[in-house]
Amino acid sequence: MKGGRKLGATRRPDEFCKKGNEEEAAMLRETYQSNPSVMAEALCHDSPLRPSAEQDFSKVHHSTTLTQWLDFLIDPRLVENINDDGIQQLIVLPLEKRPGANETLFEKHIDNLRHHLLSKRYGMDASNEMMRLAQERKLEKEEILRRKMKDKPKLETHLHSSTKFYNSTKSILTKLGECCLARYLTDDYRLIQSMLGGDEASKTDFAIAGLDPLDDAHPVIQKACVWGNEEQMQSCRDDLMSILMRRAKYLNESKEAALQLSMLSS
C-alpha cells in the first residue's frame, strides 16, 4: 500500500487481470483497446489526451514510478529529515533482460542478495546449507502447485494486455509510444543514472546528452549496487547501464536527436 492505493507490482500481469482490478481492466480495454502503444502515445507531451492519460496511467496497479517509490530519498524536504545514521544502505535488484539473453538476472540477483545477507549473519557454510534447503523446499512447493493447477478448472477471465508480450526483448511499443513513455519517465532514468554513481554514471553522458543524475538525492542512492562480491556489483551496474542505453536515443536532448525523433510523429 502506498499513497492510499493498493499496488499490484507483485502480481503476474502476463497471466490475467485478477479479481479486484475490474476497473483497471475495463479502462485498458475500452479506452486503450488493450494496446500499450495507445496509452504510451497518449502520454506524449503535445498529446491532447495527456491529462486524462496521466490519470489513467496512475490507476494501473503496477505503474508506480521509481521516483514515487523512493521519494523519501529524492525529495530534498524529506531527505533533510534523515539523520546521518538513519539509512545506511539501499540495495537495488535490476529487472532487466539484456538483448540476446534468454532471461533476466532478477532471480539471480535475489539469490545473491539472500546469500549475501545470510553469510554476513551466519557465516558462509551455514549460508550455503540454508540456500540448499531453501531450493529443495522451493522445488517441492512448485511440484505441489503444479499438481493442484492441473486438476483445477479454468476460470473465464480477460487476459491481461501484456500476455502476448511476456518475456520478450523485442519492443512492444511503436517508436513514438516508446519515445513518449521514456520521456514521461525521464526522472526515473535520472534516478537509475544516480544509482550507478561516480565514473559509471558519467559514462552515460556520452550517449544521453542532457540526462543528469538527480540533484540533492540522498547519497545512499549512489551505493545501490555496492553489495555482494565484485562480480555481483558489476552485474548490477551492467543491468542498470543496459536499461539506460536501451532508451538513450529517446532521452537524448541534443538537436540531432530531436530532429531524428521529430520524424516519428510525422
Side-chain angles (χ1 to χ4, degrees):
M1 178 83 71
K2 186 175 176 66
R5 67 187 182 92
K6 294 181 179 178
L7 301 171
T10 58
R11 302 173 187 176
R12 289 192 54 135
D14 59 287
E15 291 181 351
F16 47 77
C17 294
K18 301 289 187 180
K19 184 177 180 181
N21 290 344
E22 290 85 354
E23 182 180 352
E24 173 190 326
M27 177 266 292
L28 292 172
R29 284 199 313 274
E30 297 168 10
T31 305
Y32 302 100
Q33 298 85 55
S34 293
N35 187 336
S37 287
V38 176
M39 173 176 274
E41 291 182 13
L43 291 170
C44 291
H45 73 279
D46 57 352
S47 170
L49 300 176
R50 175 157 176 154
S52 59
E54 287 183 313
Q55 292 183 10
D56 289 341
F57 183 82
S58 68
K59 295 176 184 177
V60 178
H61 284 73
H62 51 277
S63 69
T64 304
T65 65
L66 292 178
T67 48
Q68 288 173 328
W69 272 111
L70 297 177
D71 57 355
F72 63 98
L73 292 176
I74 297 169
D75 188 331
R77 296 167 299 179
L78 300 178
V79 171
E80 67 181 11
N81 293 327
I82 302 175
N83 55 38
D84 293 339
D85 58 352
I87 298 179
Q88 300 298 318
Q89 189 172 24
L90 169 70
I91 291 177
V92 63
L93 306 177
L95 179 55
E96 165 70 348
K97 186 173 182 181
R98 302 179 201 172
N102 293 324
E103 58 185 2
T104 74
L105 297 178
F106 185 57
E107 291 192 2
K108 181 179 179 181
H109 289 317
I110 292 177
D111 286 340
N112 287 342
L113 175 59
R114 186 185 296 120
H115 191 270
H116 168 69
L117 296 176
L118 289 173
S119 61
K120 284 183 65 176
R121 184 175 182 89
Y122 301 107
M124 188 62 69
D125 291 341
S127 173
N128 290 337
E129 180 63 12
M130 285 186 278
M131 291 290 290
R132 184 187 68 78
L133 293 174
Q135 180 63 19
E136 289 182 359
R137 182 58 178 157
K138 176 184 176 183
L139 294 176
E140 290 174 0
K141 287 184 176 181
E142 288 178 350
E143 178 60 22
I144 293 173
L145 180 60
R146 187 189 66 80
R147 291 176 181 176
K148 286 183 178 180
M149 295 302 293
K150 183 179 180 181
D151 300 327
K152 187 176 181 180
K154 292 186 177 181
L155 300 176
E156 183 178 354
T157 63
H158 293 288
L159 288 177
H160 193 279
S161 57
S162 67
T163 301
K164 58 185 176 182
F165 308 117
Y166 177 63
N167 205 29
S168 173
T169 56
K170 185 177 181 181
S171 176
I172 64 175
L173 301 175
T174 61
K175 293 296 183 183
L176 178 60
E178 193 173 358
C179 175
C180 293
L181 184 58
R183 292 195 167 188
Y184 180 73
L185 299 174
T186 293
D187 282 346
D188 278 6
Y189 290 107
R190 293 180 63 203
L191 173 57
I192 291 173
Q193 184 174 1
S194 302
M195 289 178 175
L196 285 167
D199 295 337
E200 292 291 332
S202 66
K203 291 180 182 179
T204 63
D205 294 341
F206 296 103
I208 314 177
L211 187 73
D212 300 315
L214 293 173
D215 297 325
D216 302 320
H218 194 284
V220 75
I221 285 179
Q222 297 184 31
K223 301 178 182 179
C225 283
V226 183
W227 62 272
N229 57 32
E230 190 60 39
E231 181 183 358
Q232 169 60 37
M233 293 184 202
Q234 191 57 51
S235 178
C236 175
R237 295 188 188 103
D238 288 345
D239 272 3
L240 293 182
M241 187 71 76
S242 175
I243 292 172
L244 289 173
M245 290 309 180
R246 283 195 299 111
R247 298 289 181 264
K249 60 184 176 182
Y250 301 124
L251 299 169
N252 195 319
E253 296 182 357
S254 66
K255 290 183 178 179
E256 294 79 5
L259 288 173
Q260 293 177 0
L261 293 176
S262 67
M263 299 177 64
L264 296 177
S265 58
S266 61

